[in-house]
Amino acid sequence: MKNNKNQPDVDNISIPKKVYEELLQNASRFQLVSSTSNFWLWEVDKNGLYTYSSSTVFDILGYDIEEIVGKSVLDFIIPEEVNKIAAFFQEIVSEQKTIISLVNSNLRKDGNVVILETNGAPIYNMAGDFIGYRGIDRNITRLKDAEIKFSNERLRLKTLIQTIPDLIWLKDNEGVFLTCNPRFEQFFGAIETDIIGKTDYDFVPKDLADFFRKKDNEAKLAEKPSVNLEWVTFASDGHKELLETIKTPMYDSDGKLIGILGISRDITEHKQTEDALYKSRSRLSLAMDVARLGIWEFDFSKQLFTLENRFYSLFGTNIDEQEETMSLEKFSKKFVHPDDISIIASVLEKAIADDNSGSTYKIEIRMLHDCGGIRNVAVRFVVQKDEFNKTTKCSGVVQDITTIKKAELELRELNVSKDKFFSIIAHDLKNPFNTIIGFSEILKEQIQKGDYNEIGYLADSINNSAVQTYGLLENLLEWANSQRNKIIFDPININLKELFVVESGSLFDMAAKKNIELKNLLPDNLFITADKNMIRTILRNLISNAVKFTPKNGRIEISAIIKDNYIEIAVSDNGIGMTEKIRVSLFKIDANLSTPGTENEKGTGLGLILCKEFVEKHGGKIWVESESGKGSVFRFTLPKNI
């Protein structure tokens, strides 16, 4: 019988055929393992030098077999582990121990680190002498990376659970606690290790524990999360919280119920806010009924008014007797005094042209009562715009101007003004006079003594205080008149540059004392329609404010540009600027801002409030752009025509 050339002649082999076939099968398995790229078969002598390597070492370490054989195991271990592996190898060689799952880090030929799991056994020669180790290395780099990633994820999850402000816990099916977070520990007044293995009945009164258990069972029966509210007392310090608790049934991979996960969130503040909002709405509704406020809305595209019942009740009718929506023409004919119809048309035109969504308008008109009488009402409304900045609606209220609500509002405004007024008189007006009196007394004494060395300095200080006091009094008088509506608004055609040149003498003197360059960049033929005295007050206050906060040798510029249907005027400086906190508080009468200038100049902030009122009197806006240490730019707008 002829054998295949690739098969040995089993008939001439001295070992049994069955044993031989088993050897062939084992050899085949060995070949399969040795050719698998994730496993590396090797042999080393008792000195740790490789005597054999499978070809898969190339896939794992990037070396050819020839580069491995004859080299030491330690030649491929990363430096940080060399001593540890050397000591380990010395120990197992001395006792000829088996190597079991030894994790070690090796350097690939390309410099990357590979983590291997090593298993091996001692080998002996025919004489029974120990000659080294035969083993297999498995590349577990990806496994280790996954373990590290999983460990990090678990750590992040644990950190989240430990730091989250919610109460979190897990119970088994019998209500025994398996884990909880620190916030839950505060509730029970015990640490996690003392809570685990116990139930609610060990920490809270029986009726509350019964309630918790009942909610656990409801969630399990529903087989979905359940939500309930509960007031609880924290054992840690005795405070109470309203908790919104979500209890979720937990299942294992086979779908078997294993327990309940609970998460409770403190909604005490939310509940208080909700209750306060409800009370506020109730009070608002009551106030609207008492104050007889009527709500309305006007749609510009449809030219329709939408009126609610409170509006109709003001004029002796109700929504059942009228239409909920009404055209502008019909509304004007039925409710508006004939002489005041033009006022409504005019303010609606202004609302359409307004560039700002949210602008508020207020007018006073006469409206007709159903019985034939006339009511004087205050109309207030807010402009609404779409994403294209097109005016779409006005929403507002009408109110009898004699109502108590109107009187209370005016009284609050008067109280704010009064407080500010007394504050200025009591503090800001007193200080300059103290300076004048103090320095004048010193001046008098030095003249009597014949000591004239500091007369100039003292006279300068007295003069500065007097000028400061006069400016304060001037602002105070204008502001007081403005609050009492005693200032006559008289817009005329003005050349802005000429007005500045005429009125800027004292401003240039003020700037010159600090060697500040005051630059007039206003266009030559820029005319505005405005109240001359108000514009002069605005410019005086803005420029003197810039001088105050600009250091010596600084620069101040006044400029103006024309934009569409308005003019934007800017007063800019390279002074000390201001913080965002100060910036947002400017122009507010109740802010009480008074920051010393670069030369310790004093102020009240009243001048900027006056500027805002006068700018708004013209239908304009005023704002400031500034950063601390980078100067400031005060800008205000005026319509081309009023």
Side-chain angles (χ1 to χ4, degrees):
M1 177 179 179
K2 289 188 176 180
N3 292 322
N4 186 293
K5 63 180 180 179
N6 294 321
Q7 295 291 330
D9 186 0
V10 297
D11 294 329
N12 297 321
I13 298 177
S14 59
I15 61 175
K17 181 178 179 180
K18 184 176 180 181
V19 174
Y20 178 72
E21 287 176 347
E22 186 176 345
L23 288 173
L24 279 180
Q25 187 178 25
N26 289 339
S28 177
R29 290 172 179 168
F30 178 83
Q31 182 64 31
L32 178 62
V33 173
S34 65
S35 62
T36 302
S37 61
N38 208 40
F39 293 90
W40 167 32
L41 302 178
W42 50 263
E43 290 182 5
V44 296
D45 64 17
K46 57 186 178 183
N47 295 315
L49 300 179
Y50 286 105
T51 57
Y52 166 80
S53 171
S54 66
S55 60
T56 51
V57 70
F58 182 82
D59 297 315
I60 294 178
L61 294 181
Y63 291 100
D64 292 324
I65 295 174
E66 294 77 11
E67 296 176 285
I68 294 293
V69 174
K71 295 289 184 67
S72 170
V73 171
L74 301 178
D75 291 337
F76 304 97
I77 299 296
I78 63 172
E80 296 88 342
E81 294 185 10
V82 166
N83 291 336
K84 181 184 76 172
I85 299 300
F88 174 80
F89 190 76
Q90 185 177 6
E91 178 186 345
I92 63 169
V93 166
S94 65
E95 300 180 18
Q96 299 175 20
K97 290 182 178 179
T98 300
I99 305 171
I100 301 175
S101 300
L102 172 66
V103 176
N104 53 98
S105 302
N106 294 257
L107 279 174
R108 280 177 54 87
K109 191 173 182 178
D110 59 12
N112 291 322
V113 175
V114 179
I115 302 174
L116 303 178
E117 180 186 72
T118 300
N119 288 277
I123 54 178
Y124 304 87
N125 61 18
M126 297 297 291
D129 298 324
F130 170 68
I131 59 172
Y133 276 88
R134 178 181 297 118
I136 185 169
D137 278 5
R138 181 165 66 105
N139 187 351
I140 61 169
T141 307
R142 290 185 179 179
L143 177 62
K144 282 297 178 181
D145 289 344
E147 287 179 357
I148 292 171
K149 184 177 180 181
F150 179 70
S151 177
N152 290 338
E153 289 296 330
R154 288 193 63 183
L155 180 60
R156 279 192 286 269
L157 178 60
K158 183 177 181 180
T159 301
L160 176 64
I161 293 174
Q162 294 295 312
T163 57
I164 198 169
D166 296 340
L167 288 75
I168 301 176
W169 69 95
L170 182 64
K171 302 177 184 176
D172 67 13
N173 283 329
E174 303 304 319
V176 177
F177 286 98
L178 303 176
T179 186
C180 66
N181 72 341
R183 269 281 285 158
F184 191 85
E185 291 177 342
Q186 294 174 11
F187 173 39
F188 275 0
I191 60 175
E192 183 183 18
T193 53
D194 291 337
I195 296 173
I196 292 174
K198 296 179 181 177
T199 69
D200 293 310
Y201 293 93
D202 295 307
F203 298 97
V204 298
K206 182 179 182 302
D207 56 344
L208 185 57
D210 288 341
F211 175 78
F212 291 161
R213 189 64 175 155
K214 176 185 175 184
K215 293 300 177 182
D216 291 347
N217 291 331
E218 287 177 1
K220 288 190 285 187
L221 289 172
E223 297 183 346
K224 62 180 181 180
S226 67
V227 181
N228 64 273
L229 302 182
E230 53 205 17
W231 278 100
V232 299
T233 301
F234 278 66
S236 58
D237 56 12
H239 81 276
K240 291 186 176 182
E241 290 183 11
L242 177 62
L243 300 181
E244 179 184 64
T245 299
I246 302 174
K247 294 188 174 182
T248 306
M250 302 297 290
Y251 301 89
D252 62 17
S253 57
D254 296 325
K256 181 182 177 182
L257 180 68
I258 58 173
I260 290 289
L261 173 67
I263 302 177
S264 290
R265 174 160 295 179
D266 178 13
I267 62 167
T268 309
E269 186 174 344
H270 173 78
K271 179 63 175 175
Q272 290 170 345
T273 302
E274 190 178 75
D275 291 344
L277 181 61
Y278 175 78
K279 291 178 182 178
S280 177
R281 285 175 176 169
S282 299
R283 286 195 294 266
L284 177 61
S285 179
L286 177 62
M288 291 182 71
D289 288 337
V290 172
R292 303 189 67 207
L293 287 172
I295 300 174
W296 59 271
E297 183 177 273
F298 181 71
D299 188 316
F300 282 91
S301 62
K302 298 178 182 178
Q303 291 289 292
L304 285 177
F305 275 98
T306 300
L307 310 169
E308 57 95 64
N309 198 50
R310 284 193 183 94
F311 180 93
Y312 284 115
S313 67
L314 286 176
F315 306 104
T317 183
N318 60 66
I319 198 168
D320 296 328
E321 299 173 359
Q322 305 293 334
E323 304 170 52
E324 187 176 352
T325 60
M326 193 175 294
S327 69
L328 174 59
E329 181 182 0
K330 187 174 181 179
F331 174 85
S332 300
K333 183 177 180 179
K334 179 169 181 60
F335 290 112
V336 184
H337 191 283
D339 294 341
D340 291 349
I341 291 177
S342 61
I343 297 176
I344 291 183
S346 175
V347 75
L348 289 178
E349 287 178 6
K350 284 186 178 180
I352 292 175
D354 196 327
D355 290 330
N356 300 311
S357 180
S359 294
T360 302
Y361 289 83
K362 175 186 174 183
I363 57 173
E364 293 182 5
I365 59 173
R366 291 165 291 177
M367 298 189 74
L368 306 176
H369 196 273
D370 195 58
C371 66
I374 296 175
R375 295 288 178 88
N376 292 316
V377 299
V379 181
R380 299 177 180 84
F381 66 91
V382 177
V383 175
Q384 300 176 36
K385 291 184 175 290
D386 61 17
E387 64 270 23
F388 304 107
N389 206 36
K390 179 182 177 182
T391 302
T392 56
K393 292 181 180 180
C394 289
S395 301
V397 296
V398 295
Q399 181 184 26
D400 190 323
I401 61 174
T402 61
T403 62
I404 188 65
K405 291 294 180 181
K406 178 85 162 76
E408 289 176 355
L409 177 61
E410 291 175 351
L411 180 60
R412 285 196 295 270
E413 291 174 347
L414 287 173
N415 282 335
V416 171
S417 300
K418 178 198 68 177
D419 293 343
K420 181 68 176 179
F421 186 85
F422 285 143
S423 172
I424 293 170
I425 292 177
H427 183 267
D428 298 295
L429 197 57
K430 177 182 176 182
N431 289 340
F433 277 114
N434 285 339
T435 301
I436 292 172
I437 293 170
F439 278 115
S440 62
E441 287 177 353
I442 296 173
L443 180 63
K444 178 180 177 182
E445 291 175 2
Q446 292 197 344
I447 291 174
Q448 290 173 349
K449 294 177 182 178
D451 183 1
Y452 304 109
N453 292 332
E454 294 184 354
I455 285 181
Y457 166 75
L458 293 170
D460 240 2
S461 298
I462 292 172
N463 177 259
N464 289 339
S465 293
V467 170
Q468 177 187 341
T469 305
Y470 179 79
L472 174 59
L473 285 171
E474 194 173 24
N475 277 340
L476 193 59
L477 180 60
E478 288 180 329
W479 177 71
N481 286 332
S482 172
Q483 299 305 297
R484 297 165 55 218
N485 293 318
K486 294 296 183 180
I487 295 180
I488 298 174
F489 182 58
D490 184 24
I492 60 174
N493 201 32
I494 303 170
N495 184 307
L496 186 60
K497 186 167 186 176
E498 289 182 2
L499 175 66
F500 176 74
V501 170
V502 171
E503 301 296 332
S504 62
S506 61
L507 297 173
F508 277 98
D509 292 340
M510 187 186 305
K513 289 182 179 180
K514 297 173 74 172
N515 199 27
I516 293 172
E517 180 184 9
L518 181 55
K519 197 74 174 177
N520 181 358
L521 301 179
L522 294 170
D524 290 329
N525 296 310
L526 179 59
F527 287 85
I528 60 173
T529 302
D531 185 286
K532 184 177 180 179
N533 291 327
M534 289 186 181
I535 298 302
R536 183 169 55 209
T537 299
I538 294 169
L539 292 176
R540 183 188 74 233
N541 277 291
L542 292 182
I543 294 173
S544 61
N545 193 66
V547 171
K548 176 181 175 182
F549 294 103
T550 301
K552 291 179 178 179
N553 304 314
R555 179 184 175 90
I556 298 171
E557 295 179 352
I558 178 170
S559 59
I561 55 175
I562 300 174
K563 291 185 174 181
D564 299 327
N565 60 342
Y566 64 91
I567 297 166
E568 182 179 294
I569 303 165
V571 176
S572 61
D573 63 65
N574 62 349
I576 61 176
M578 65 189 76
T579 63
E580 179 66 10
K581 180 180 179 181
I582 293 177
R583 189 190 70 78
V584 299
S585 299
L586 294 179
F587 309 115
K588 294 181 180 179
I589 194 168
D590 56 348
N592 289 323
L593 287 175
S594 180
T595 306
T598 58
E599 299 292 318
N600 205 32
E601 300 99 322
K602 305 296 183 183
T604 64
L606 186 60
L608 293 179
I609 295 170
L610 199 58
C611 288
K612 180 176 184 291
E613 292 190 7
F614 285 175
V615 167
E616 292 178 347
K617 197 85 169 178
H618 287 78
K621 299 187 302 178
I622 185 169
W623 69 97
V624 61
E625 300 164 359
S626 181
E627 291 184 40
S628 183
K630 295 185 179 181
S632 303
V633 182
F634 282 82
R635 302 183 190 274
F636 66 96
T637 59
L638 298 172
K640 287 183 181 177
N641 297 298
I642 299 178

